[in-house]
Amino acid sequence: MTTVESCIFCAIVAGDAPAHRVFENDHAMAFLDIRPVSRGHLLVVPREHAMDLNSTHPDAAVDVFRVGHTLARAVRHSDLRADGANLVINDGKAAFQTVFHLHLHVVPRWHRDRLRFATGLVTRRLREPEHVADAVRVGLARLNGESTA
């Protein structure tokens, strides 16, 4: 996994690596993705290194999403004239995370573009919804230090 010393996003935040920055504040920074899925594809990162959601303080995650929300709105009002945006966090290797510094993708979208994040969405069906909901509730209780016995 990535350490602060070897993290490209930490180097970008520090100004030691090049990036096309579009936004920064005390808590987060946004820049163009070097391998864009669509025109205007942005990455939002917390200034402080955190590998994934599990190691990110909730306040830092809120800051990242707040910036992503603003940027998603900005691409609609920009000359890019996006019709919408996907906001995506690939959380961990199993979710295709490749740079292990938490980052939110802001992917501008247009009507009739060919990008397909949601293939099969309409035909998908819940399987064992009560069991799955119970499992998530147990996870929430564990996060809150509650007994699950």
Side-chain angles (χ1 to χ4, degrees):
M1 293 295 161
T2 305
T3 63
V4 173
E5 294 80 25
S6 65
C7 177
I8 186 62
F9 291 168
C10 286
I12 290 170
V13 168
D16 296 332
H20 295 278
R21 298 169 183 234
V22 298
F23 178 87
E24 47 191 305
N25 64 20
D26 291 341
H27 308 289
M29 173 182 287
F31 47 90
L32 292 175
D33 192 311
I34 63 168
R35 292 186 184 86
V37 173
S38 69
R39 189 164 183 240
H41 180 169
L42 302 162
L43 300 177
V44 182
V45 301
R47 286 189 171 275
E48 188 171 313
H49 183 78
M51 288 181 22
D52 53 24
L53 282 172
N54 202 45
S55 63
T56 301
H57 190 278
D59 291 341
V62 167
D63 290 334
V64 165
F65 192 82
R66 184 176 286 120
V67 171
H69 172 261
T70 299
L71 292 172
R73 294 179 64 227
V75 296
R76 284 176 171 244
H77 292 273
S78 74
D79 289 342
L80 295 174
R81 295 185 183 95
D83 297 313
N86 289 110
L87 279 68
V88 179
I89 292 177
N90 297 333
D91 181 36
K93 190 173 184 174
F96 307 110
Q97 184 177 1
T98 57
V99 177
F100 292 92
H101 181 125
L102 179 77
H103 55 287
L104 173 70
H105 295 262
V106 179
V107 182
R109 300 297 305 271
W110 293 266
H111 295 296
R112 295 192 271 303
D113 65 24
R114 296 180 180 260
L115 191 56
R116 299 287 174 247
F117 281 118
T119 301
L121 182 66
V122 175
T123 59
R124 294 181 198 154
R125 298 290 177 253
L126 281 172
R127 293 190 182 136
E128 302 179 332
E130 289 304 319
H131 176 74
V132 173
D134 286 342
V136 173
R137 288 183 199 107
V138 167
L140 286 169
R142 288 178 181 156
L143 279 175
N144 293 323
E146 300 168 13
S147 172
T148 59

